[in-house]
Amino acid sequence: MDTGSRKWGTPYLNREFFSLLGERLADHTLLIMAKREGRYIAGALNMIGGDTLYGRNWGCIENHPCLHFEICYYQAIEFALSRGLQRVEAGAQGTHKLARGYMPNLTYSAHWIANPSLRNAVAHYLQQERQAVQQEQQILSAHGPFRQQST
């Protein structure tokens, strides 16, 4: 609820969501939790795919330096390595992820828009957006923490 309250105004993952998640997708869910003095203070929700761990949500009731990175990134990477997963997809946002080895990857979203006028407007916008996203990916990739191959 913390993340939803801070970023989007309305928490969208409610108690029913977590109950259904545990009921129907327990084997594909990884919840990494942090405790302080015997009580939970933070957690990260991840979904386990065939060869990828998908980080999806973070929340906390106390702020501690670097706790977000430990729970969301380092513990997720450790889990993925122990299970032989090929990658950890940390989700959108954040150039802060570059320093932690998360390089930008292109993703896609599949939507069908019923209204032809809106569909055409969105398609036109996406043509321009794709170019901007590809340029940003190239720029960010040049600033990652890994050595570049010399030519």
Side-chain angles (χ1 to χ4, degrees), residues 2 12 50 76:
D2 168 70
Y12 57 93

Side-chain angles (χ1 to χ4, degrees), residues 2-142:
D2 168 70
T3 300
S5 296
R6 280 185 299 107
K7 291 190 173 188
W8 300 284
T10 303
Y12 57 93
L13 300 180
N14 57 26
R15 181 70 185 119
E16 182 182 10
F17 167 83
F18 286 101
S19 293
L20 289 170
L21 186 66
E23 215 177 271
R24 299 179 183 172
L25 292 171
D27 291 343
H28 299 284
T29 303
L30 172 65
L31 187 58
I32 301 171
M33 301 293 292
K35 275 185 175 181
R36 185 170 141 329
E37 297 178 0
R39 70 183 195 120
Y40 292 107
I41 61 165
L45 173 66
N46 300 268
M47 302 308 296
I48 305 166
D51 68 348
T52 304
L53 181 66
Y54 298 93
R56 288 299 152 241
N57 201 272
W58 149 264
C60 65
I61 58 172
E62 292 182 11
N63 291 311
H64 296 275
C66 299
L67 181 60
H68 172 261
F69 300 118
E70 179 65 28
I71 300 298
C72 292
Y73 304 139
Y74 306 135
Q75 291 296 318
I77 291 169
E78 188 172 315
F79 176 86
L81 289 171
S82 74
R83 296 290 178 99
L85 299 176
Q86 296 299 305
R87 65 188 186 119
V88 175
E89 172 55 57
Q93 307 170 17
T95 54
H96 64 279
K97 293 176 182 175
L98 287 174
R100 288 160 180 84
Y102 287 97
M103 301 304 292
N105 289 305
L106 293 178
T107 60
Y108 69 93
S109 191
H111 294 81
W112 184 74
I113 300 170
N115 181 293
S117 297
L118 180 57
R119 184 171 53 244
N120 290 336
V122 170
H124 177 73
Y125 170 78
L126 289 177
Q127 287 176 343
Q128 297 171 1
E129 179 71 4
R130 280 185 195 97
Q131 292 175 350
V133 167
Q134 288 173 344
Q135 287 175 342
E136 184 176 10
Q137 181 189 25
Q138 290 172 350
I139 291 167
L140 292 175
S141 293

